Amino acid sequence: MTEAGIGVDIVEIARMECILERTPSFAVKMFTEEERRYCDRSTRRAAHYAARFAAREAVLKALGTGFSQGIGRKDVSVARDDRGRPIAVLKGKALEIAHERGIVEVALSLSLTSELAVANAMAISEGSRPHQKDRREDERAQMARSFRDARSILDELERVQDNALTSVSGETLIDHGGSDETDSGL
């Protein structure tokens, strides 16, 4: 089954800040240890928690489930790859549902403003994954087109040159199998 889904979520950073202040256990209940370590080291702690909360919602929307069908609070989390980009990590029921639906990747993008955290997620199946074109074929086609264009330009230059020589000398050009010779009437 070919499936793909898109999810978007926005969280107000000030609201997350209030929740973290009023309910300190919220972070422990909702976020993984890795997420808490990352957010707590940040200068904008509430903003990064808000982004990770938005990411959960966006990923679950992309999967088409929301927090239903037995998905737990920590079944979706955010980690970072070796370049520092956010990646969605699925486990438990979220991972099971993704496998059932043929989802092979969940692309994730997080953005922060001074007031909002925004997350975009795209659940991608093998059948919906964009495939790269065969570059060798593209390169060959481009090379062939370049040679045709160059040959056309050379042919046109040769024709213009022949016309110019004819008009200057009044001589008729004779084609002898690829070599140009002028006929001076001899």
Side-chain angles (χ1 to χ4, degrees), residues 36-49 112:
R36 290 192 313 271
R37 243 189 337 268
Y38 176 79
C39 294
D40 290 341
R41 282 188 286 195
S42 171
T43 57
R44 296 186 63 202
R45 179 178 178 259
H48 290 283
Y49 274 118
L112 298 171

Side-chain angles (χ1 to χ4, degrees), residues 86-133:
I87 55 172
V89 178
L90 305 180
K91 64 180 187 179
K93 192 66 175 175
L95 181 61
E96 184 181 314
I97 289 170
H99 283 152
E100 287 171 4
R101 295 182 179 183
I103 304 300
V104 295
E105 177 185 358
V106 178
L108 184 62
S109 175
L110 305 178
S111 297
L112 298 171
T113 69
S114 58
E115 299 172 2
L116 301 171
V118 180
N120 292 291
M122 182 180 295
I124 303 167
S125 66
E126 194 59 48
S128 66
R129 183 184 299 242
H131 297 284
Q132 290 184 345
K133 294 179 181 176

